[in-house]
Amino acid sequence: MHNILRIGTGYWASRALMSAIELDVFTHLGSGAQDFSSLTEDLGLHPRGARDFLDALVALGLLTRDGDRYANARESRVFLDRTKPLFVGGSFAMAVPRLWPAWARLTDALRTGRPQFPGASESGDVFEGLYADPDLRDRFLQSMTGASTVTARQLGRAFPWRDHRTFVDLGPGQGVVPVQLARAHPHLRGTGFDLPAVRGPFESYVAEQGLAERLRFCSGDFFADPLPTADVLIMGHVLHDWDLDQKKDLIGRAYAALAEGGCLLVYEALIDDERQHSALGLLMSLNMLVDTHGGFNFTAADCVSWIAEAGFSSWRVEPLVPPDSLVVAVK
């Protein structure tokens, strides 16, 4: 029964975390512990819910409390303070305006197979709709940065970059993966390939990191334009957005763009091959159901079959950072 109640009320904890991020609780406590009165005053909290809210964050393991003084828990210090390099709170930037309304209609999506995000019936292209509104675009790109920062750092360690000199990140968002790779490997030169609406956010983010000389942006459409060539092509959290034919098309386009010996890197929250244990991967697939027109998540075996079909000569699958795994394919 406890597990059922925990799952059924899971959105309570989720919303408490998102409100804490919206209120900048963790960033505010980044400079040190603070007593209840001054903290609630600084955050602008009404006294009716303030203590329950902060103590709920303590019970969830996100804050600690010593008497009347609150402080960030260890993980919150590292991952939820906006001033820290591994801040992942941005990954929830799309939750309130888009994903919560869509998930509220999951039953409809299961009955119809159609996306349920606001305005879905008028939108034929998910990204065209996202990028038409600059605020929604920026929220989405921030969420991709938050979801990929830790994975991007590990990607810099998990692949033999010393053997390669150039890479293209397909769908780079703000550019967190190119930035982390360029920081870790000074010999690398990289390109972000995405729709024209992403150029401004990408170039601003890269410039802020002092890497504009080594990282550039190339405008294009995955499905209409040839992919840029490089030693390594990266598809991170990209394939899950598309239907089966589009997935195979993208992998085929990557194969065509690579020279012999070139590599395609795919990382996703893969579903286990038995489809029994990877709850997050399976829930991600349901997220694609409510948020895209044909996307779905997949297993490592699925991905390998598409890679083999495209003509790649060898491949391997390895864990990256939970929940992400990495598939490396060599032409």
Side-chain angles (χ1 to χ4, degrees):
M1 179 178 174
H2 175 73
N3 188 48
I4 293 172
L5 291 175
R6 179 183 60 81
I7 295 171
T9 60
Y11 66 96
W12 295 357
S14 174
R15 195 59 183 91
L17 169 59
M18 283 183 246
S19 289
I21 293 170
E22 290 171 350
L23 290 163
D24 272 336
V25 172
F26 308 107
T27 304
H28 192 81
L29 289 171
S31 57
Q34 195 168 352
D35 66 81
F36 173 78
S37 296
S38 59
L39 179 59
T40 54
E41 181 179 352
D42 290 348
L43 295 175
L45 301 181
H46 190 281
R48 182 184 174 203
R51 191 173 292 278
D52 286 345
F53 173 61
L54 294 172
D55 285 347
L57 296 176
V58 172
L60 290 168
L62 298 169
L63 295 181
T64 63
R65 178 166 56 81
D66 183 4
D68 207 38
R69 293 178 64 79
Y70 293 85
N72 284 332
R74 185 184 64 82
E75 283 194 332
S76 300
R77 270 198 311 274
V78 176
F79 298 114
L80 293 175
D81 180 344
R82 292 181 191 274
T83 67
K84 299 297 174 59
L86 295 182
F87 174 68
V88 300
S91 61
F92 307 117
M94 290 295 292
V96 174
R98 184 178 175 100
L99 297 181
W100 277 71
W103 272 87
R105 298 179 61 86
L106 175 61
T107 303
D108 291 338
L110 292 168
R111 286 174 172 156
T112 66
R114 296 173 186 156
Q116 301 296 319
F117 61 85
S121 59
E122 295 84 33
S123 174
D125 184 308
V126 171
F127 291 99
E128 180 182 349
L130 275 174
Y131 295 162
D133 179 340
D135 179 64
L136 200 58
R137 176 202 64 188
D138 291 346
R139 281 177 174 265
F140 172 73
L141 297 179
Q142 289 164 16
S143 73
M144 294 301 98
T145 296
S148 299
T149 298
V150 177
T151 298
R153 284 201 169 190
Q154 183 60 26
L155 185 62
R157 306 183 187 104
F159 182 74
W161 291 104
R162 64 184 178 277
D163 299 332
H164 306 277
R165 301 200 63 81
T166 60
F167 68 88
V168 174
D169 188 14
L170 304 169
Q174 290 180 306
V176 66
V177 171
V179 162
Q180 293 297 333
L181 293 180
R183 278 181 175 171
H185 302 281
H187 72 283
L188 287 176
R189 298 292 183 272
T191 299
F193 181 74
D194 212 326
L195 296 171
V198 181
R199 177 184 291 275
F202 178 94
E203 292 183 342
S204 294
Y205 182 83
V206 167
E208 288 171 4
Q209 310 302 317
L211 291 166
E213 291 186 3
R214 294 169 51 206
L215 301 174
R216 69 184 186 96
F217 185 84
C218 180
S219 297
D221 183 324
F222 288 161
F223 300 106
D225 302 311
L227 302 183
T229 58
D231 298 337
V232 180
L233 299 185
I234 304 168
M235 293 184 188
H237 301 154
V238 167
L239 286 180
H240 66 198
D241 289 325
W242 310 103
D243 65 30
L244 179 58
D245 288 341
Q246 290 170 315
K247 283 175 168 62
K248 290 183 177 182
D249 185 20
L250 277 176
I251 293 172
R253 287 172 175 269
Y255 181 84
L258 289 167
E260 290 295 324
C263 296
L264 170 64
L265 309 185
V266 174
Y267 64 83
E268 296 274 6
L270 295 177
I271 300 169
D272 62 288
D273 289 344
E274 294 77 24
R275 297 179 58 86
Q276 295 184 32
H277 308 292
S278 301
L280 189 55
L282 290 160
L283 291 171
M284 175 60 78
S285 203
L286 292 178
N287 192 61
M288 294 300 101
L289 171 67
V290 301
D291 196 44
T292 71
H293 290 278
F296 62 92
N297 213 347
F298 47 89
T299 67
D302 292 331
C303 190
V304 165
S305 71
W306 305 329
I307 283 169
E309 184 178 334
F312 285 90
S313 59
S314 65
W315 48 81
R316 66 180 186 274
V317 182
E318 56 190 62
L320 202 54
V321 174
D324 286 332
S325 294
L326 175 67
V327 182
V328 179
V330 181
K331 180 170 177 178

